[in-house]
Amino acid sequence: MKSKPKSGDRLTHQWISFLLLLVCAPISYGQLPDVATTPPMGWNSWNHFASKIDDATIRAQADAMVSSGMRDAGYLYVNIDDTWEGERDVQGIIHPNSKFPDMKALAAYVHGKGLKLGIYSSPGPKTCAGFAGSYDHELQDAQTYAAWGVDYLKYDLCGLREIMKNSGSPEAAHEIMVNAYVKMRDALRRTGRPIVYSFCQYGDDAVWRWGPEAGANLWRTTGDIKDNYARMADIGFGQAGLAKFAGPGHWNDPDMLEIGNGGMNFDEYRTHMSLWAILAAPLLAGNDLASMSSETIALLTNREVIAIDQDSAGKQGDRASAEGPLEIWARPLGDGSKVVGLFNRHPGPMEMQVHFHDLGFRNAVKVRDVWAAKDLGSMESYKAIVPAHGVVLLRISGS
Ligand code: GLA
């Protein structure tokens, strides 16, 4: 005969259920607040500072993010890239090196400005710059980041490549890589802290196909950008065909911005910003925010261009047509309008024409020149002289 449960047993059961709930809560996926519902915006230390960063540099960039108006334009993340890492202690816990005496205090400082803090690591034993990676310490590192108050992790393949190479086959190497990214995904989720997860593995093995499932909020689609037109254009225009893989919470990442670093002229930087907005790309400034010209600030903070990038429908644009170096790109926006970029990749000015019926419109459409902030009227086609390496960016509405 079954005995009636005593009230003490019931209490014990309730306690066990409660404890189980506490333990399991952080690993039941999907209950953390959504991150990266629009492409992340912020700043990253690598393109300008590389290894020349420390606590003071990061604080100064956070200060400048606010005083320049970047924060109010939507830039949020202050991301420390490679070279912050120090040694692990006997328990295996990672500590920053002497350039970063107190990561928790730095996070608090950044948060105090209404901004968020990002950090960098690798699934391999070493990062690209040869510092300690997270290999075999994923859970510990995720917990350390969460305890510091980190909001964003860029996870850079580098050191794992050696291990992948020794695996014997491309299939085995692929599995090692995916498992490593999934491992950190789970570790981050276990912390219970919403942390944007950025894959940096240069687009290998068509990461856009498996990245979202492996937890990526964004994934680099290429190798590193450089501060020159040829490399920026190669990467940016090379994104054709990737639009269908992006959407709210998961974005193609053609790498960080070079605007303001000095290697391109005004028209080229304007192309950079326009193309990244059409691509629904993360907008991570990569310049020294503390010494920006007003021209650079104007390029980075143009509200209409940022609104295109951040459009909540999250549909990435794509190439609509190409005539040699003359490319027309278009992006549908949530309000039914379209953004059209007339890009001239030729090293001299060229006339370009767009017929709006080629972009799916039947009638005359209203046209606005975005950079000129000027309504141009109603028309069926538009012709303009586009500067060398430049762009004319239009916002089109109609049917
Ligand atoms: C790789 C990445 C860069 C940067 C460096 C740091 O090259 O692609 O964006 O993070 O590593 O070492």
Side-chain angles (χ1 to χ4, degrees):
M1 205 176 86
K2 259 192 182 168
S3 61
K4 250 175 117 196
K6 294 193 204 101
S7 73
D9 288 349
R10 248 198 333 266
L11 263 179
T12 318
H13 274 117
Q14 276 169 2
W15 263 110
I16 291 174
S17 315
F18 176 65
L19 286 174
L20 270 175
L21 202 80
L22 274 186
V23 172
C24 295
I27 41 173
S28 63
Y29 301 154
Q31 63 177 11
L32 293 177
D34 290 338
V35 293
T37 51
T38 60
M41 290 177 67
W43 171 88
N44 173 293
S45 57
W46 189 256
N47 283 356
H48 182 81
F49 292 94
S51 64
K52 292 190 201 73
I53 46 164
D54 58 15
D55 181 276
T57 320
I58 305 301
R59 285 175 193 242
Q61 295 301 307
D63 293 347
M65 188 101 109
V66 178
S67 61
S68 64
M70 296 264 296
R71 181 192 63 187
D72 293 345
Y75 292 84
L76 183 63
Y77 292 95
V78 176
N79 291 351
I80 307 170
D81 208 278
D82 206 351
T83 79
W84 65 267
E85 309 87 340
E87 302 296 322
R88 293 188 182 279
D89 62 23
V90 280
Q91 284 153 354
I93 295 181
I94 187 86
H95 292 272
N97 56 41
S98 58
K99 299 192 291 179
F100 292 91
D102 188 343
M103 230 17 136
K104 199 170 177 172
L106 179 55
Y109 184 83
V110 169
H111 292 157
K113 304 243 148 201
L115 301 168
K116 290 182 182 286
L117 186 73
I119 212 159
Y120 167 100
S121 189
S122 171
K126 291 266 183 248
T127 67
C128 295
F131 289 74
S134 293
Y135 187 71
D136 261 351
H137 294 277
E138 294 81 0
L139 201 52
Q140 270 181 326
D141 285 1
Q143 276 159 1
T144 302
Y145 304 152
W148 286 340
V150 165
D151 308 290
Y152 184 117
L153 172 67
K154 172 173 168 182
Y155 210 42
D156 192 346
L157 189 65
C158 263
L160 195 70
R161 281 181 150 169
E162 201 52 40
I163 294 168
M164 289 163 62
K165 228 191 290 165
N166 296 333
S167 70
S169 74
E171 291 77 15
H174 176 77
E175 202 180 320
I176 290 171
M177 174 171 63
V178 175
N179 288 344
Y181 276 96
V182 166
K183 203 168 181 185
M184 184 51 97
R185 172 198 74 187
D186 293 346
L188 291 173
R189 287 181 182 175
R190 273 188 91 120
T191 67
R193 185 176 175 85
I195 297 177
V196 173
Y197 190 24
S198 154
F199 286 21
C200 177
Q201 52 78 272
Y202 336 113
D204 289 354
D205 295 358
V207 59
W208 41 87
R209 295 189 189 159
W210 54 270
E213 208 176 316
N217 297 118
L218 59 157
W219 52 85
R220 279 270 298 277
T221 53
T222 69
D224 291 10
I225 195 165
K226 288 197 174 63
D227 187 22
N228 64 64
Y229 177 76
R231 182 62 182 151
M232 182 279 293
D234 194 33
I235 288 181
F237 295 110
Q239 302 299 298
L242 296 184
K244 65 178 180 211
F245 299 99
H250 53 280
W251 308 101
N252 288 304
D253 173 10
D255 209 357
M256 305 166 296
L257 299 171
E258 291 282 10
I259 294 168
N261 279 334
M264 291 181 239
N265 67 32
F266 182 73
D267 283 317
E268 294 169 339
Y269 280 141
R270 192 183 253 183
T271 292
H272 191 4
M273 188 72 185
S274 307
L275 188 51
W276 263 235
I278 287 178
L279 294 171
L283 296 179
L284 296 169
N287 57 319
D288 178 6
L289 304 184
S291 65
M292 284 188 283
S293 66
S294 49
E295 203 171 70
T296 297
I297 296 179
L299 281 173
L300 287 171
T301 61
N302 183 292
R303 295 297 199 275
E304 290 189 45
V305 179
I306 289 175
I308 293 166
D309 180 78
Q310 296 287 299
D311 184 69
S312 59
K315 291 202 171 110
Q316 181 176 329
D318 216 329
R319 187 163 59 200
S321 65
E323 178 199 334
L326 309 177
E327 300 197 14
I328 298 180
W329 286 64
R331 173 174 180 187
L333 299 179
D335 66 358
S337 65
K338 261 188 186 160
V339 175
V340 179
L342 311 183
F343 292 98
N344 173 15
R345 300 179 66 176
H346 186 67
M350 292 293 289
E351 184 178 88
M352 290 184 73
Q353 184 167 23
V354 53
H355 297 281
F356 298 117
H357 62 84
D358 291 345
L359 299 173
F361 294 99
R362 274 166 293 131
N363 305 304
V365 293
K366 278 201 207 147
V367 179
R368 180 171 172 80
D369 183 323
V370 175
W371 285 108
K374 204 168 149 203
D375 292 324
L376 302 177
S378 226
M379 55 197 84
E380 285 178 10
S381 70
Y382 183 68
K383 206 189 265 183
I385 307 284
V386 186
H389 293 174
V391 61
V392 169
L393 192 66
L394 305 173
R395 188 159 175 161
I396 313 295
S397 45
S399 55

